[in-house]
Amino acid sequence: MKNRVLIAEDLYLLRDGLVHLLQAHGFSVVAAVESGPELLRGLLELRPDVSIVDVRLPPTFTDEGLQAALAARKQVPGLPVLVLSQHVEQLYARELLADGSGAIGYLLKDRVFNAEQFIDAVRRVAEGGTAMDPEVIAKLLASNARNEPLAALTPREREVLEAMAEGRSNTAICQRLYLSESAVAKHTASIFAKLGLAPSDDDNRRVLAVLAYLNSR
């Protein structure tokens, strides 16, 4: 069965391009809206399998997209949202991640380099996982740089944590950082110990626990 997608983007060409791209990859676009009120109404009425949301939408072009996503997830916990924006809104990104229910992504428009990367992120969020741009994660980590447990992480552990937060599996982290599986497992165990988090065999729950911790401080 096709995943049902709702798109919220005020620029016509980008909105139309997303519709055609998603349909070409087997998604069903149930709505393509251009304002915050339309987005909130669509999220609550249509309950899409995943929504792709710009941060700044009419009428004020400030933070309507994220506000609508937050409001909808309060009423429908875990409603999948992939933010696609030119901006990193740290406060609202932390709030989205802090509920720990998963199904969240945050990509920067100018860092989506190909269709495969984007479609993979959409599918990951639709399945309840996370898809975070490294720059978004870096800014969230930097905003918590004075947090004592985070300060205790080694540079390599921070690299592993950032990769985990992007939604990467241990195997993917091995390939990215040129580490053995045993080394990644060791770093992961150390990260959880220093952050006071219990390890989990589920990569998504593990990543979400780390993100929830980072964004609750």
Short mmCIF file of all heavy atoms in Angstrom, two decimals, residues 95-132:
data_model
loop_
_atom_site.label_atom_id
_atom_site.label_comp_id
_atom_site.label_asym_id
_atom_site.label_seq_id
_atom_site.Cartn_x
_atom_site.Cartn_y
_atom_site.Cartn_z
N GLU A 95 11.78 21.03 20.51
CA GLU A 95 10.45 20.69 21.01
C GLU A 95 9.84 19.52 20.25
O GLU A 95 9.19 18.65 20.83
CB GLU A 95 9.52 21.91 20.92
CG GLU A 95 8.21 21.73 21.66
CD GLU A 95 7.39 23.02 21.74
OE1 GLU A 95 7.94 24.10 21.42
OE2 GLU A 95 6.21 22.93 22.09
N LEU A 96 10.04 19.49 18.93
CA LEU A 96 9.54 18.38 18.14
C LEU A 96 10.18 17.05 18.57
O LEU A 96 9.53 16.03 18.66
CB LEU A 96 9.85 18.62 16.65
CG LEU A 96 8.80 19.33 15.80
CD1 LEU A 96 9.34 19.59 14.42
CD2 LEU A 96 7.50 18.53 15.73
N LEU A 97 11.48 17.09 18.84
CA LEU A 97 12.20 15.88 19.17
C LEU A 97 11.99 15.45 20.62
O LEU A 97 12.13 14.27 20.94
CB LEU A 97 13.70 16.10 18.93
CG LEU A 97 14.11 16.30 17.47
CD1 LEU A 97 15.49 16.92 17.38
CD2 LEU A 97 14.06 14.99 16.72
N ALA A 98 11.67 16.39 21.48
CA ALA A 98 11.68 16.11 22.91
C ALA A 98 10.58 15.16 23.36
O ALA A 98 10.71 14.55 24.42
CB ALA A 98 11.57 17.41 23.70
N ASP A 99 9.50 14.99 22.57
CA ASP A 99 8.43 14.12 23.06
C ASP A 99 8.80 12.65 22.95
O ASP A 99 8.14 11.78 23.52
CB ASP A 99 7.11 14.41 22.34
CG ASP A 99 7.13 14.05 20.87
OD1 ASP A 99 8.08 13.40 20.41
OD2 ASP A 99 6.16 14.43 20.16
N GLY A 100 9.87 12.35 22.20
CA GLY A 100 10.39 10.98 22.16
C GLY A 100 9.52 9.99 21.42
O GLY A 100 9.77 8.78 21.48
N SER A 101 8.49 10.46 20.71
CA SER A 101 7.59 9.53 20.02
C SER A 101 8.07 9.15 18.63
O SER A 101 7.48 8.29 17.99
CB SER A 101 6.17 10.12 19.94
OG SER A 101 6.18 11.35 19.26
N GLY A 102 9.14 9.78 18.15
CA GLY A 102 9.73 9.38 16.88
C GLY A 102 9.04 9.96 15.68
O GLY A 102 8.24 10.88 15.78
N ALA A 103 9.36 9.39 14.50
CA ALA A 103 8.77 9.81 13.23
C ALA A 103 9.00 11.29 12.97
O ALA A 103 8.08 12.03 12.65
CB ALA A 103 7.28 9.48 13.20
N ILE A 104 10.27 11.71 13.10
CA ILE A 104 10.63 13.11 12.91
C ILE A 104 11.86 13.20 12.00
O ILE A 104 12.81 12.42 12.13
CB ILE A 104 10.96 13.79 14.26
CG1 ILE A 104 9.68 14.08 15.02
CG2 ILE A 104 11.74 15.08 14.07
CD1 ILE A 104 8.80 15.13 14.36
N GLY A 105 11.84 14.17 11.10
CA GLY A 105 13.00 14.45 10.27
C GLY A 105 13.17 15.95 10.12
O GLY A 105 12.21 16.72 10.26
N TYR A 106 14.40 16.38 9.85
CA TYR A 106 14.66 17.81 9.64
C TYR A 106 15.80 17.91 8.62
O TYR A 106 16.95 17.62 8.94
CB TYR A 106 15.07 18.47 10.96
CG TYR A 106 14.86 19.98 11.00
CD1 TYR A 106 14.13 20.56 12.03
CD2 TYR A 106 15.40 20.82 10.03
CE1 TYR A 106 13.92 21.94 12.09
CE2 TYR A 106 15.20 22.19 10.08
CZ TYR A 106 14.46 22.75 11.11
OH TYR A 106 14.27 24.10 11.15
N LEU A 107 15.44 18.28 7.40
CA LEU A 107 16.41 18.43 6.32
C LEU A 107 16.50 19.89 5.89
O LEU A 107 15.51 20.62 5.96
CB LEU A 107 16.01 17.58 5.11
CG LEU A 107 15.86 16.08 5.31
CD1 LEU A 107 15.49 15.41 3.99
CD2 LEU A 107 17.11 15.45 5.89
N LEU A 108 17.68 20.29 5.43
CA LEU A 108 17.87 21.63 4.90
C LEU A 108 17.79 21.57 3.38
O LEU A 108 18.44 20.72 2.75
CB LEU A 108 19.22 22.18 5.35
CG LEU A 108 19.39 22.32 6.87
CD1 LEU A 108 20.78 22.84 7.21
CD2 LEU A 108 18.31 23.23 7.45
N LYS A 109 17.00 22.46 2.80
CA LYS A 109 16.73 22.40 1.35
C LYS A 109 18.00 22.43 0.52
O LYS A 109 18.12 21.69 -0.46
CB LYS A 109 15.83 23.57 0.95
CG LYS A 109 14.40 23.47 1.45
CD LYS A 109 13.57 24.67 1.05
CE LYS A 109 12.14 24.56 1.53
NZ LYS A 109 11.32 25.75 1.18
N ASP A 110 18.95 23.28 0.88
CA ASP A 110 20.14 23.41 0.04
C ASP A 110 21.16 22.31 0.29
O ASP A 110 22.24 22.31 -0.31
CB ASP A 110 20.80 24.79 0.23
CG ASP A 110 21.22 25.06 1.66
OD1 ASP A 110 20.97 24.20 2.54
OD2 ASP A 110 21.80 26.14 1.91
N ARG A 111 20.81 21.33 1.16
CA ARG A 111 21.71 20.21 1.40
C ARG A 111 21.08 18.87 0.99
O ARG A 111 21.62 17.82 1.30
CB ARG A 111 22.13 20.18 2.87
CG ARG A 111 23.15 21.29 3.20
CD ARG A 111 23.43 21.37 4.69
NE ARG A 111 23.75 20.08 5.26
CZ ARG A 111 24.95 19.50 5.18
NH1 ARG A 111 25.96 20.10 4.54
NH2 ARG A 111 25.17 18.33 5.75
N VAL A 112 19.97 18.94 0.28
CA VAL A 112 19.39 17.73 -0.32
C VAL A 112 19.98 17.63 -1.72
O VAL A 112 19.63 18.40 -2.61
CB VAL A 112 17.85 17.80 -0.37
CG1 VAL A 112 17.30 16.57 -1.09
CG2 VAL A 112 17.28 17.90 1.04
N PHE A 113 20.87 16.67 -1.91
CA PHE A 113 21.68 16.64 -3.13
C PHE A 113 21.15 15.72 -4.22
O PHE A 113 21.57 15.81 -5.37
CB PHE A 113 23.12 16.25 -2.78
CG PHE A 113 23.76 17.19 -1.78
CD1 PHE A 113 24.22 16.72 -0.57
CD2 PHE A 113 23.88 18.55 -2.06
CE1 PHE A 113 24.81 17.58 0.35
CE2 PHE A 113 24.47 19.41 -1.15
CZ PHE A 113 24.93 18.93 0.06
N ASN A 114 20.24 14.80 -3.87
CA ASN A 114 19.70 13.92 -4.90
C ASN A 114 18.37 13.33 -4.42
O ASN A 114 18.02 13.39 -3.23
CB ASN A 114 20.67 12.80 -5.27
CG ASN A 114 21.12 12.00 -4.05
OD1 ASN A 114 20.31 11.34 -3.41
ND2 ASN A 114 22.41 12.07 -3.71
N ALA A 115 17.62 12.79 -5.37
CA ALA A 115 16.29 12.26 -5.06
C ALA A 115 16.36 11.07 -4.11
O ALA A 115 15.51 10.94 -3.22
CB ALA A 115 15.60 11.85 -6.36
N GLU A 116 17.37 10.22 -4.27
CA GLU A 116 17.48 9.03 -3.44
C GLU A 116 17.63 9.40 -1.97
O GLU A 116 17.01 8.80 -1.08
CB GLU A 116 18.66 8.17 -3.89
CG GLU A 116 18.46 7.46 -5.22
CD GLU A 116 18.52 8.41 -6.42
OE1 GLU A 116 19.08 9.53 -6.28
OE2 GLU A 116 18.00 8.04 -7.48
N GLN A 117 18.47 10.41 -1.69
CA GLN A 117 18.67 10.86 -0.32
C GLN A 117 17.35 11.35 0.28
O GLN A 117 17.00 11.01 1.42
CB GLN A 117 19.70 12.00 -0.29
CG GLN A 117 19.86 12.69 1.05
CD GLN A 117 20.56 14.04 0.93
OE1 GLN A 117 20.84 14.51 -0.18
NE2 GLN A 117 20.85 14.66 2.06
N PHE A 118 16.61 12.12 -0.49
CA PHE A 118 15.36 12.69 0.01
C PHE A 118 14.30 11.61 0.22
O PHE A 118 13.65 11.56 1.27
CB PHE A 118 14.85 13.74 -0.97
CG PHE A 118 13.54 14.36 -0.58
CD1 PHE A 118 13.45 15.18 0.53
CD2 PHE A 118 12.39 14.09 -1.31
CE1 PHE A 118 12.23 15.74 0.91
CE2 PHE A 118 11.18 14.64 -0.95
CZ PHE A 118 11.10 15.47 0.16
N ILE A 119 14.12 10.75 -0.76
CA ILE A 119 13.11 9.70 -0.67
C ILE A 119 13.42 8.75 0.48
O ILE A 119 12.52 8.29 1.20
CB ILE A 119 13.00 8.92 -2.00
CG1 ILE A 119 12.46 9.84 -3.11
CG2 ILE A 119 12.11 7.70 -1.84
CD1 ILE A 119 11.09 10.42 -2.84
N ASP A 120 14.70 8.45 0.68
CA ASP A 120 15.08 7.60 1.81
C ASP A 120 14.67 8.24 3.13
O ASP A 120 14.17 7.57 4.04
CB ASP A 120 16.59 7.35 1.80
CG ASP A 120 17.06 6.56 3.01
OD1 ASP A 120 16.72 5.36 3.10
OD2 ASP A 120 17.76 7.13 3.87
N ALA A 121 14.86 9.56 3.25
CA ALA A 121 14.48 10.27 4.47
C ALA A 121 12.97 10.23 4.67
O ALA A 121 12.48 10.02 5.79
CB ALA A 121 14.97 11.71 4.41
N VAL A 122 12.21 10.44 3.60
CA VAL A 122 10.75 10.42 3.70
C VAL A 122 10.28 9.04 4.18
O VAL A 122 9.44 8.93 5.08
CB VAL A 122 10.09 10.75 2.34
CG1 VAL A 122 8.57 10.62 2.43
CG2 VAL A 122 10.46 12.17 1.91
N ARG A 123 10.83 7.98 3.60
CA ARG A 123 10.42 6.63 3.98
C ARG A 123 10.82 6.32 5.43
O ARG A 123 10.06 5.68 6.17
CB ARG A 123 11.05 5.62 3.03
CG ARG A 123 10.41 5.65 1.64
CD ARG A 123 10.87 4.51 0.77
NE ARG A 123 10.10 4.47 -0.47
CZ ARG A 123 10.63 4.39 -1.68
NH1 ARG A 123 11.94 4.33 -1.83
NH2 ARG A 123 9.86 4.35 -2.74
N ARG A 124 11.98 6.78 5.83
CA ARG A 124 12.45 6.52 7.18
C ARG A 124 11.51 7.15 8.21
O ARG A 124 11.15 6.55 9.21
CB ARG A 124 13.88 7.06 7.36
CG ARG A 124 14.61 6.50 8.57
CD ARG A 124 15.97 7.16 8.73
NE ARG A 124 16.76 7.09 7.51
CZ ARG A 124 17.84 7.82 7.29
NH1 ARG A 124 18.24 8.70 8.20
NH2 ARG A 124 18.52 7.69 6.17
N VAL A 125 11.11 8.40 7.95
CA VAL A 125 10.20 9.09 8.87
C VAL A 125 8.83 8.42 8.85
O VAL A 125 8.19 8.25 9.90
CB VAL A 125 10.10 10.58 8.51
CG1 VAL A 125 9.02 11.27 9.34
CG2 VAL A 125 11.44 11.27 8.73
N ALA A 126 8.34 8.05 7.68
CA ALA A 126 7.04 7.38 7.58
C ALA A 126 7.01 6.08 8.37
O ALA A 126 5.96 5.68 8.89
CB ALA A 126 6.71 7.11 6.11
N GLU A 127 8.18 5.43 8.49
CA GLU A 127 8.27 4.17 9.23
C GLU A 127 8.50 4.38 10.72
O GLU A 127 8.68 3.42 11.47
CB GLU A 127 9.39 3.32 8.63
CG GLU A 127 9.10 2.83 7.22
CD GLU A 127 10.32 2.24 6.53
OE1 GLU A 127 11.41 2.23 7.17
OE2 GLU A 127 10.19 1.80 5.38
N GLY A 128 8.52 5.65 11.16
CA GLY A 128 8.67 5.92 12.58
C GLY A 128 10.07 6.24 13.03
O GLY A 128 10.34 6.39 14.23
N GLY A 129 11.01 6.37 12.07
CA GLY A 129 12.40 6.65 12.40
C GLY A 129 12.72 8.13 12.37
O GLY A 129 11.83 8.99 12.35
N THR A 130 14.01 8.44 12.35
CA THR A 130 14.47 9.82 12.30
C THR A 130 15.34 10.03 11.07
O THR A 130 16.00 9.11 10.59
CB THR A 130 15.30 10.19 13.54
OG1 THR A 130 16.40 9.29 13.65
CG2 THR A 130 14.47 10.10 14.80
N ALA A 131 15.34 11.25 10.56
CA ALA A 131 16.17 11.62 9.42
C ALA A 131 16.61 13.06 9.63
O ALA A 131 15.88 13.99 9.29
CB ALA A 131 15.40 11.47 8.11
N MET A 132 17.78 13.23 10.22
CA MET A 132 18.24 14.56 10.60
C MET A 132 19.47 14.96 9.78
O MET A 132 20.41 14.19 9.64
CB MET A 132 18.61 14.57 12.08
CG MET A 132 17.51 14.11 13.01
SD MET A 132 16.07 15.20 13.01
CE MET A 132 16.77 16.66 13.78
#
